[in-house]
Amino acid sequence: MLFGFCVLSVGFFLDLGVCTAVQSELRITTIKQEPYAVSKGSQLEGFCMDLLSEVAKKLGLKYKVHLVKDSAYGRQDESGNWNGMIGEVVRGEADLAIAPLTLTAAREKVVGMTKPFMQTGISILLRKDISEGTGLFDFLSPFTAKTWVGILIAYLGTAACIFLAARLSPCEWSQPQSEKNRFSLLHSLWYTAGALTLQGAGPHPKALSGRVICCSWWLFTIVLLACYFSNLSSTKNSESTHLTVKGFEDLANQDTIEYGCLGGSSTLAFFENSNNPVYRRIFEHMERTKSFVSSMDEGVWRAREGNFAFIGESVSLDLAVARHCELVRAHEVVGMRGYSIAASLGSPIIKNLSVAILQLSEEGELAYLRSKWWASSCIADKAKSSAVQPHSLKGMFLILSLGLGLGALLAVLELTSKSRRSAAEQRKSCCTVLTEELTLRLRTSNANKPQENVVIDKEKA
């Protein structure tokens, strides 16, 4: 009899252990939404699934995940009943609900909510090409102000070098007393500007020194224009992110772009319950036009189609921007709130879940999961060009400087060579002849004035 009692006792405790094991397997409800929970074969993966796995490791939990039956997050109807994941937790059909569940006062009254595992707010999603009108000086945007100043200095320096080389070189100006120099300062400026616009402006230099300077400037302008048009094209193709709709006030004050949010969501409840007149106008417009969407995917699709602004959780909108390069999120974010895990009201597990979430945040695990599942696929946007800085063209500025210096040196050598020949013919010092040539060629008054005076004197005689 004692043996039978022991057998019954062992059986009882085994049954109790089995029941305890069964009860310790938590029933967890979730909803399919990228990247929180997505199907991969017969399993679910995503941010929330990774988060659940990490929390379970810390707390030693066993769990089984199922999808919510009505594909809803949880909203209270007129009779006071809750649907979605919140409803399943309230009715005891699930022990936990893990999803992008917004922590709200209404939900906190009927279920227990943990510390938020992610912060979010309400923002606006729309296409990039819904942009402001083109500014008057947008054509200057490919280069920075410093680059433009450098280009202006290069332009003036090149024109000055052409002017000096044309006056110094005897191959360009052989008879200063009787010939008029073709390259005045104004013509040098005009010639340099013509080369900058690839139009050309004759006459062209004949001397080697002038041609070296011009070739250096032509090479500089070709590279410069290629960089300018390439960067300008990239800027226009990537399209401006300076939106006409920068915030909710801009959205409420226009009637060109249609807008809406997810029906039955906490986002809709935010606008419905707000006393802010701008938010009330937005809610009344959405209520009047019935511009609600049935899912996040539908809202993103309508925004991609154009002429529609989708209002939703900023975190979810950031994901849409990462996946669809033609979309952009407005900078304004209102109604900051958090995503939490829901459990039955008064459940003792809430405290442990909150501690585990805080630990994961302090360890950087939540940030890692965010970067893992929100990685952008917009490679073109990441490589989007910006205004060209001066150091980006430093090689071309260096080549131009060397060309200008070489051209000026050649002009001086050409003049020195002629002065040496003239000094030998006139039996004068080379320095004396060179000084006379420089004085004649660089005088500010008209170089043909001596010849004109000779003609006038002859006429008087």
Side-chain angles (χ1 to χ4, degrees), residues 451-461:
Q451 183 68 19
E452 292 175 357
N453 291 339
V454 172
V455 175
I456 292 174
D457 290 342
K458 287 182 178 180
E459 291 177 353
K460 287 182 178 179

Side-chain angles (χ1 to χ4, degrees), residues 195-442:
L196 181 62
T197 57
L198 302 182
Q199 295 302 308
H204 298 289
K206 297 183 296 182
L208 177 62
S209 56
R211 291 180 178 181
V212 169
I213 294 174
C214 290
C215 288
S216 301
W217 177 247
W218 292 341
L219 178 61
F220 177 81
T221 56
I222 290 174
V223 176
L224 182 71
L225 292 176
C227 292
Y228 175 82
F229 288 115
S230 175
N231 213 48
L232 182 65
S233 176
S234 299
T235 302
K236 295 303 180 183
N237 289 340
S238 61
E239 298 173 341
S240 174
T241 58
H242 300 289
L243 303 175
T244 302
V245 180
K246 296 181 179 179
F248 290 96
E249 187 170 357
D250 295 331
L251 194 65
N253 291 336
Q254 57 83 43
D255 54 5
T256 304
I257 304 171
E258 189 59 60
Y259 53 89
C261 68
L262 186 64
S265 63
S266 59
T267 300
L268 177 60
F270 170 83
F271 289 99
E272 184 178 3
N273 300 327
S274 176
N275 295 322
N276 187 307
V278 174
Y279 301 158
R280 290 296 305 174
R281 284 165 54 195
I282 291 177
F283 170 73
E284 292 168 1
H285 174 85
M286 292 190 296
E287 188 72 24
R288 183 175 62 255
T289 59
K290 300 298 179 184
S291 55
F292 306 116
V293 296
S294 59
S295 66
M296 178 73 183
D297 292 338
E298 182 185 349
V300 172
W301 176 79
R302 291 189 63 181
R304 294 179 64 191
E305 289 295 307
N307 205 39
F308 182 80
F310 177 53
I311 303 173
E313 304 283 356
S314 60
V315 172
S316 300
L317 301 187
D318 288 339
L319 176 69
V321 172
R323 298 293 185 269
H324 308 288
C325 304
E326 72 273 22
L327 298 178
V328 66
R329 178 176 67 80
H331 296 298
E332 183 179 6
V333 179
V334 300
M336 294 301 297
R337 72 278 299 277
Y339 289 155
S340 299
I341 300 174
S344 58
L345 197 62
S347 174
I349 200 175
I350 295 176
K351 180 68 173 177
N352 295 333
L353 290 173
S354 295
V355 172
I357 289 172
L358 292 176
Q359 289 175 344
L360 290 173
S361 177
E362 294 169 358
E363 294 168 1
E365 187 66 25
L366 295 183
Y368 166 73
L369 293 179
R370 172 69 186 267
S371 63
K372 172 185 176 181
W373 292 102
W374 269 259
S376 177
S377 59
C378 300
I379 306 300
D381 281 1
K382 290 181 179 179
K384 186 169 62 177
S385 60
S386 57
V388 175
Q389 300 289 337
H391 60 77
S392 301
L393 296 173
K394 61 183 179 181
M396 291 312 305
F397 279 106
L398 177 61
I399 291 176
L400 177 63
S401 301
L402 293 176
L404 299 183
L406 179 60
L409 178 61
L410 288 174
V412 173
L413 292 177
E414 289 171 354
L415 181 61
T416 303
S417 177
K418 180 189 176 185
S419 299
R420 291 182 64 181
R421 292 195 302 269
S422 300
E425 293 174 358
Q426 301 174 14
R427 299 180 181 278
K428 292 183 179 180
S429 169
C430 179
C431 292
T432 302
V433 176
L434 180 61
T435 302
E436 292 175 355
E437 285 283 351
L438 287 174
T439 303
L440 180 62
R441 292 171 179 275
L442 297 181

Side-chain angles (χ1 to χ4, degrees), residues 148-168:
W148 284 116
V149 171
I151 294 171
L152 178 61
I153 294 174
Y155 164 72
L156 295 176
T158 303
C161 286
I162 293 177
F163 171 72
L164 291 175
R167 296 184 78 85
L168 293 178

